Amino acid sequence: MQHGLLETDLYAGIIEMIAGDPVAAEAPLRSAYNGLGAIGIGADAGLAAARLARALVAQGRFDEAHEMATASELLAGQNLKTAIAWRGARAEILAALGDHERAAALAENAVAIAGVTDLLRDHADACVSLAMVRAAVGDDDGAAAANTAAAELYRMKGASALATRIDGSSATGSTAAEDPLFPGLRVPRGHPMLSLENLATATAMRHVGHPAVEAEFGATPLAPMVVSVRGDRLALVRARARLGSGAEVTSLALCETDIDGQLIATSHFVDSDILEAQAALIDRYKAGQGARLAHTMRNEIELNALRAARDWDAYVALMPPDFVFEDHRPLRWGRGDRALWIQNERSLCEQVPDNVNLSRTRVIHDGAILEMFASFGTTVDGAASAKSGIAVSSLNADLEWTRVEVFDIDQADVAVARFHELAGAAGGEVDGRVEGGVGAEAASPPVEHLMLSGEPVPAHPLFSLDNLATAAAAAAGLVTQTDPGLTPLPPIPLFVLGEQLALVRSRARSATGDELTTLTLYETDAAAQLIATTDFEKTEIEAAILAILDRYAAGEAAAFADVIGAERELHAIRAARDWEAMEVFLRDLVFEDHRPLGWGGGDGATMLHNERSHAERLPDYVVIDRTFSFRGGAVLKLYDTVGTTVDGVTSIKSGISLSFEDPNDGSMRVEFFDVDQADLAVARFSELAGDDDTDDHQETEPPA
């Protein structure tokens, strides 16, 4: 079972990447890579390495990502999935590092290899990598075309959540948009924590004009431009107006609203007083919505003032000796200590004497800071200079900046992932200890559940792995109650029954980065209140399945205990490898296998032979039911079969079974389907149930 458990780690990492959380994906992917390599399963280890490389790229850890991509290449052999994956991962690394020509060649090669296979999911992943490479060089049309191809492939595979996400990103084109305030610069799209929109900016667009409009008849107000925001209710904007002569005049306006978005105060500054206006913005925030975070702003205010005064000795004195920085932007500052940071700052200000560094958005969470900035001024040669970027920094206990990492605007995904890592966040959400614009509490994208084979769970409600118990499991975080040093990770639902029972893989990350897992049976009442949990070792999957069936028969499905009892009996017989008992159990059975490479058809004796052969090839195999629905005597199940061959190779297969009593001869009939035949299986279930309404997970009348 070791190989099977490592494969489960691999798919757990894939699930985290689908959920947009590369930090949470890292531990299970690293476990899969190390473990699969240790037992000699090279191609699978190579696939895990490629997946891990992409998770590291998303965190901005390009050196480590390169090592993993190289390991994947060396391990790939003739495995097409791994060959596609390592090329896509390395293409993303090269694009992030600015080697666009080689990145494009690798990404296109990955798409070409995948295009002659039937690996739809891998082909789609390759198209996503190609889109990222094209976007990095500003080829928005090419990126959109690759994303469109990826979405269609995901849709063909049934990965609807991924297709929807790609559709959403394609709808906005590039990940960045032109910045109206600084022509030639860009601002991120799709990241609420980096948004320049809040209640105050929306109000400013409607109401804030330039004082000259009131002073001169015929002056025309123009739309303000956003300079910086804090919280939901404060914005510094550039107010504009066109005079009757055609000349445009501007000023800076600090706008403040109440909680309903009503403008309550406006202060004006001349353009040259931008640092004074920015200080006023921070002061207002400290006194109002950000009062609970005022202590975290002291360092920012002092450093801004010292930088403006070019007092480098005092500036460096505010930085701890262990300060480090890393610049992820191509051809920029690289990495170094505080001495090199100050040297770079001084050099910049010598080249651009009036340089201003402006924090435009700012979010704080658990000692980590995410901000979008603009650096602008005029060079000694009289040329305008403007650059923008994203900085992620961490504070120590004395609220000193100990680390700063800098990213380009087009690296927003990487920057946000790094921010969450430094903040110790488990998901894509930011809690209430936040500075930032509207949308800071935006929910993470929905997780697309996977079969253990890696195939998406069918989208039909009968196969849903979401119920009251899985919701309670996600919210509970019970695994951390015995050890505050553990960080809870999203649980993975394995088997759901009715609305109130779920067997999940509970997970937590230790302070050392190790992932700990258990199997947990969750039970809620009808009001979704958690009433019981039972933990099992992750190797006790069969015992956990029997326990959830027992709870279901004793509670929500008590009226149908005989149906559940038969299911439990089959699991117990199979777990014991009691072939004599199975022969009796299957005596009146007839089966039909609709899978292209399935078992064909036959009677109970044939089924028994197949079961015994399966056990000989996979001595430790177990069937894990994922969902269980019944109506009118028909039972529909989604399942995974997991085991390890005598040669040490893991086998994971997913499918759907439909069983019912034949009304003509009283025999028990079973039909098997592949996961991608879900529509056919549901239609057959509906036909046998004599009912087109197949949304329930249990019937309302006892079976015939």
Side-chain angles (χ1 to χ4, degrees), residues 430-466:
V430 177
D431 69 10
R433 294 165 288 177
V434 163
E435 280 188 76
V438 291
E441 291 98 16
S444 301
V447 173
E448 177 186 37
H449 297 305
L450 297 181
M451 305 299 293
L452 296 182
S453 62
E455 299 174 83
V457 169
H460 196 280
L462 283 173
F463 302 122
S464 173
L465 287 172
D466 296 314

Side-chain angles (χ1 to χ4, degrees), residues 14 54 77 140 300 440 501 550 638:
I14 293 172
R54 295 186 73 176
D140 292 346
E300 175 193 15
L501 284 163
D550 286 343
L638 181 69

Side-chain angles (χ1 to χ4, degrees), residues 62 92-100 136-137 326-334 387 406-411:
F62 302 116
E92 293 179 23
I93 296 165
L94 292 173
L97 296 176
D99 192 345
H100 301 298
V137 294
E326 184 171 1
D327 196 333
H328 300 278
R329 299 171 296 180
L331 304 178
R332 294 297 177 87
W333 289 358
K387 299 183 184 301
V406 187
F407 304 82
D408 269 335
I409 293 296
D410 289 328
Q411 296 173 307

Side-chain angles (χ1 to χ4, degrees), residues 179-182 187 195-198 200-202 204-205 223-230 234-239 252 358 360-361 372:
D179 186 348
L181 185 66
F182 297 104
V187 292
S195 174
L196 285 167
E197 299 176 1
N198 66 4
T201 58
M205 295 301 165
M225 295 178 177
V226 182
V227 177
S228 56
V229 298
R230 288 293 187 274
L234 283 163
L236 180 63
V237 303
R238 175 170 287 165
L252 297 172
L358 188 71
R360 304 188 68 189
T361 67
M372 179 172 62

Side-chain angles (χ1 to χ4, degrees), residues 235-578:
L236 180 63
V237 303
R238 175 170 287 165
R240 305 183 300 145
R242 182 173 292 114
L243 304 180
S245 63
E248 183 175 315
V249 292
T250 64
S251 70
L252 297 172
L254 174 55
C255 306
E256 184 173 5
T257 72
D258 61 19
I259 195 171
D260 297 318
Q262 299 300 308
L263 190 64
I264 58 175
T266 307
S267 302
H268 287 276
F269 304 81
V270 298
D271 277 350
S272 59
D273 288 338
I274 189 165
L275 288 176
E276 181 184 341
Q278 180 77 0
L281 173 73
I282 297 171
D283 285 341
R284 285 301 311 139
Y285 188 59
K286 284 172 55 182
Q289 192 178 4
R292 69 192 186 284
L293 299 170
H295 61 292
T296 67
M297 300 177 218
R298 172 178 56 82
N299 203 243
E300 175 193 15
I301 295 168
E302 292 179 1
L303 285 172
N304 284 347
L306 293 172
R307 189 183 190 280
R310 307 301 194 249
D311 187 346
W312 302 117
D313 291 337
Y315 188 95
V316 74
L318 281 179
M319 304 172 72
D322 59 348
F323 171 87
V324 293
F325 73 88
E326 184 171 1
D327 196 333
H328 300 278
R329 299 171 296 180
L331 304 178
R332 294 297 177 87
W333 289 358
R335 61 182 71 179
D337 57 12
R338 68 175 182 176
L340 185 56
W341 177 269
I342 293 297
Q343 177 183 320
N344 291 333
E345 286 275 33
R346 295 185 70 158
S347 176
L348 174 62
C349 291
E350 288 168 2
Q351 298 169 35
V352 186
D354 62 347
N355 174 264
V356 172
N357 203 40
L358 188 71
S359 175
R360 304 188 68 189
T361 67
R362 202 162 194 263
V363 174
I364 299 175
H365 181 203
D366 280 354
I369 299 172
L370 173 72
E371 58 187 330
M372 179 172 62
F373 67 87
S375 177
F376 55 93
T378 307
T379 69
V380 291
D381 299 324
S385 171
K387 299 183 184 301
S388 58
I390 301 167
V392 178
S393 51
S394 55
L395 303 175
N396 62 18
D398 295 323
L399 301 177
E400 300 169 317
W401 282 347
T402 58
R403 184 178 191 87
V404 175
E405 298 187 27
V406 187
F407 304 82
D408 269 335
I409 293 296
D410 289 328
Q411 296 173 307
D413 289 343
V414 180
V416 171
R418 183 61 173 144
F419 167 69
H420 282 304
E421 180 183 18
L422 290 177
E429 296 181 295
V430 177
D431 69 10
R433 294 165 288 177
V434 163
E435 280 188 76
V438 291
E441 291 98 16
S444 301
V447 173
E448 177 186 37
H449 297 305
L450 297 181
M451 305 299 293
L452 296 182
S453 62
E455 299 174 83
V457 169
H460 196 280
L462 283 173
F463 302 122
S464 173
L465 287 172
D466 296 314
N467 67 0
L468 297 178
T470 57
L478 293 179
V479 71
T480 64
Q481 290 188 357
T482 57
D483 187 348
L486 296 180
T487 301
L489 300 174
I492 298 174
L494 293 178
F495 187 12
V496 300
L497 280 174
E499 287 299 323
Q500 301 168 25
L501 284 163
L503 179 63
V504 307
R505 185 180 181 219
S506 297
R507 305 180 302 142
R509 185 183 295 115
S510 71
T512 61
D514 297 325
E515 184 173 314
L516 309 176
T517 64
T518 61
L519 296 174
T520 306
L521 172 55
Y522 285 85
E523 184 173 6
T524 72
D525 59 19
Q529 297 300 306
L530 189 61
I531 58 176
T533 61
T534 306
D535 288 324
F536 301 84
E537 294 295 328
K538 60 183 180 181
T539 56
E540 297 177 322
I541 182 69
E542 290 168 326
I545 289 172
L546 295 179
I548 191 173
L549 289 169
D550 286 343
R551 288 304 308 142
Y552 193 44
E556 201 174 348
F560 319 108
D562 55 338
V563 177
I564 309 302
E567 181 67 17
R568 189 194 191 287
E569 182 182 0
L570 177 59
H571 273 283
I573 290 172
R574 183 183 286 122
R577 305 296 194 257
D578 187 343

Side-chain angles (χ1 to χ4, degrees), residues 22-281:
V23 176
E26 181 181 348
L29 290 175
R30 194 176 295 280
S31 172
Y33 165 64
N34 291 332
L36 291 167
I39 62 176
I41 313 300
D44 287 353
L47 182 58
R51 300 289 188 185
L52 177 56
R54 295 186 73 176
L56 293 168
V57 168
Q59 299 176 51
R61 293 155 62 187
F62 302 116
D63 290 345
E64 296 172 74
H66 178 72
E67 291 177 6
M68 286 297 101
T70 299
S72 178
E73 179 183 5
L74 294 174
L75 291 166
Q78 300 301 309
N79 186 285
L80 288 175
K81 290 175 72 70
T82 306
I84 296 164
W86 77 255
R87 286 172 168 84
R90 180 167 291 158
E92 293 179 23
I93 296 165
L94 292 173
L97 296 176
D99 192 345
H100 301 298
E101 185 175 346
R102 284 205 297 158
L106 271 173
E108 290 167 359
N109 188 222
V111 171
I113 293 172
V116 297
T117 73
D118 59 356
L119 301 172
L120 299 180
R121 176 69 170 274
D122 304 271
H123 192 176
D125 288 345
C127 288
V128 169
S129 294
L130 180 59
M132 294 175 65
V133 169
R134 289 174 172 173
V137 294
D139 181 7
D140 292 346
D141 291 342
N147 272 332
T148 298
E152 182 59 28
L153 289 163
Y154 282 135
R155 201 169 282 112
M156 291 169 62
K157 183 61 180 174
S160 56
L162 287 173
T164 300
R165 184 180 304 168
I166 294 295
D167 288 338
S169 64
S170 298
T172 58
S174 171
T175 57
E178 291 299 316
D179 186 348
L181 185 66
F182 297 104
L185 299 188
R186 287 142 71 84
V187 292
R189 281 176 168 164
H191 287 286
M193 290 182 294
L194 297 170
S195 174
L196 285 167
E197 299 176 1
N198 66 4
L199 294 175
T201 58
T203 302
M205 295 301 165
R206 296 193 302 270
H207 300 297
V208 175
H210 189 280
V213 174
E214 301 171 4
E216 178 180 334
F217 180 78
T220 304
L222 302 174
M225 295 178 177
V226 182
V227 177
S228 56
V229 298
R230 288 293 187 274
D232 290 333
R233 308 173 206 166
L234 283 163
L236 180 63
V237 303
R238 175 170 287 165
R240 305 183 300 145
R242 182 173 292 114
L243 304 180
S245 63
E248 183 175 315
V249 292
T250 64
S251 70
L252 297 172
L254 174 55
C255 306
E256 184 173 5
T257 72
D258 61 19
I259 195 171
D260 297 318
Q262 299 300 308
L263 190 64
I264 58 175
T266 307
S267 302
H268 287 276
F269 304 81
V270 298
D271 277 350
S272 59
D273 288 338
I274 189 165
L275 288 176
E276 181 184 341
Q278 180 77 0
L281 173 73

